[in-house]
Amino acid sequence: MTRTAGDALGAAIRAHAETILRGHDDVRTAAARAPGAPDDAPDAVHDARVAVRRLRATLRVFRDGTAPEPGTVGALTWWVRTLGAARDAEVRRTGLAELAAGLERPSPEVLAGLATLDGALVAADAAARAEVTAALASARCRDLTARLDALVTAPPLTDRSGEAAATTLRPAVVRELGRVGRHAGPVAAWRGPGTGDRPPPDVVHRLRKAVRRARYAAEVLATSGDRATDRWADDVVARHRELQDLLGTVHDADVLRATLAALREPRTAAAVDACERLGDDRAAQALAAAAAAVR
């Protein structure tokens, strides 16, 4: 059964807002957890951040069909950045552990340096989680909660919401695919390790954000109820999910590399060098796969 744009957008807005609201308690628990302690909700921060990004993308991409209250997108951006600091800290610690496990016969100097680096990342993780805890108790979070409650109760739809979702929402997805294409050039032109410098991290990151937004937009369109449209949108989602994962691997490696470089000092130099070599190899492999996917 075909759906209206309002049906598809309203369902997406409600679902994402409810996920964010339900996640507050899990995020609070995760933020209060001591480093190394058992975690009953290991993906709480990640899940909350993804829900915020999906909701924000829905409101931004389908701007012809939604009319959020002024300040709502800004409130979501504040929350996703707050969560992002904590999630990035988690990813850096995990990334360092994975690199350490991949090193072949590390020397005592490297092992000692890895322990020092991990200690610094633990401290950064604790600081980021403390910021999340403080944010949850803030007036800004209370304002965000009120806005989310309003989105659940009455998704902000425009007069176009009564039109068919398949025809009304598809142009916005096509527009996002165009953004992906405009950002893909430098990555597509790279032919892999040994063929020149990799595209700069900011270039890769911009493509990743465009890919993510196109995927989230296509997820909404895929609920249109029109079989042909839904199949097309599902294909967009599948292709962009895989590409997003590859670019995410590169981005995480680039962020970790910059973090370790900032922590480089005599005690950690050997460990940083070893991690950079292995991390760069893994990032290059992922980027080569991404480049092939966007050609």
Side-chain angles (χ1 to χ4, degrees):
M1 178 179 176
T2 58
R3 307 174 78 194
T4 67
D7 292 335
L9 291 172
I13 291 170
R14 285 192 181 95
H16 300 326
E18 287 174 346
T19 298
I20 300 165
L21 289 167
R22 287 197 307 267
H24 278 353
D25 287 342
D26 286 342
V27 169
R28 185 178 291 104
T29 299
R33 179 180 55 85
D39 190 354
D40 293 331
D43 296 322
V45 174
H46 171 68
D47 292 346
R49 186 166 66 153
V50 169
V52 175
R53 283 175 167 166
R54 281 193 163 102
L55 176 54
R56 188 176 60 170
T58 299
L59 297 174
R60 282 177 165 173
V61 172
F62 301 108
R63 52 185 176 270
D64 290 340
T66 64
E69 288 294 322
T72 295
V73 171
L76 292 170
T77 297
W78 164 76
W79 188 226
V80 81
R81 287 176 177 170
T82 302
L83 293 170
R87 178 59 179 169
D88 288 347
E90 292 176 354
V91 170
R92 286 194 294 267
R93 283 203 70 204
T94 300
L96 179 64
E98 290 175 350
L99 290 178
L103 296 176
E104 295 185 6
R105 295 185 295 277
S107 67
E109 183 182 12
V110 168
L111 291 174
L114 289 171
T116 300
L117 292 170
D118 185 61
L121 296 184
V122 167
D125 185 13
R129 287 188 286 108
E131 290 184 8
V132 171
T133 299
L136 283 165
S138 69
R140 294 188 75 170
C141 192
R142 290 191 293 274
D143 173 71
L144 173 65
T145 298
R147 292 177 183 275
L148 292 170
D149 284 334
L151 292 176
V152 171
T153 303
L157 304 174
T158 68
D159 292 340
R160 297 196 64 189
S161 61
E163 301 174 15
T167 55
T168 304
L169 304 183
R170 182 164 178 157
V173 177
V174 172
R175 183 175 64 239
E176 294 305 313
L177 294 177
R179 290 182 71 248
V180 172
R182 290 192 296 276
H183 288 295
V187 172
W190 190 66
R191 295 293 169 174
T195 63
D197 292 339
R198 288 199 286 124
D202 62 321
V203 170
V204 175
H205 187 45
R206 281 196 295 272
L207 174 58
R208 178 180 173 238
K209 290 194 294 184
V211 166
R212 182 175 64 212
R213 196 159 117 160
R215 171 193 168 187
Y216 293 164
E219 288 175 347
V220 178
L221 179 61
T223 66
S224 74
D226 177 80
R227 288 186 179 181
T229 299
D230 291 354
R231 284 196 298 269
W232 179 81
D234 282 337
D235 182 63
V236 171
V237 171
R239 287 186 287 108
H240 286 70
R241 180 190 297 117
E242 181 179 2
L243 182 56
Q244 182 184 343
D245 287 344
L246 291 168
L247 294 171
T249 297
V250 180
H251 175 68
D252 290 346
D254 287 338
V255 170
L256 179 58
R257 191 184 201 281
T259 299
L260 296 182
L263 295 172
R264 183 187 179 90
E265 41 102 346
R267 293 179 301 163
T268 63
V272 169
D273 289 344
C275 287
E276 283 184 350
R277 287 192 294 271
L278 180 56
D280 286 350
D281 287 345
R282 292 180 176 179
Q285 292 172 11
L287 187 59
V294 296
R295 287 192 192 112

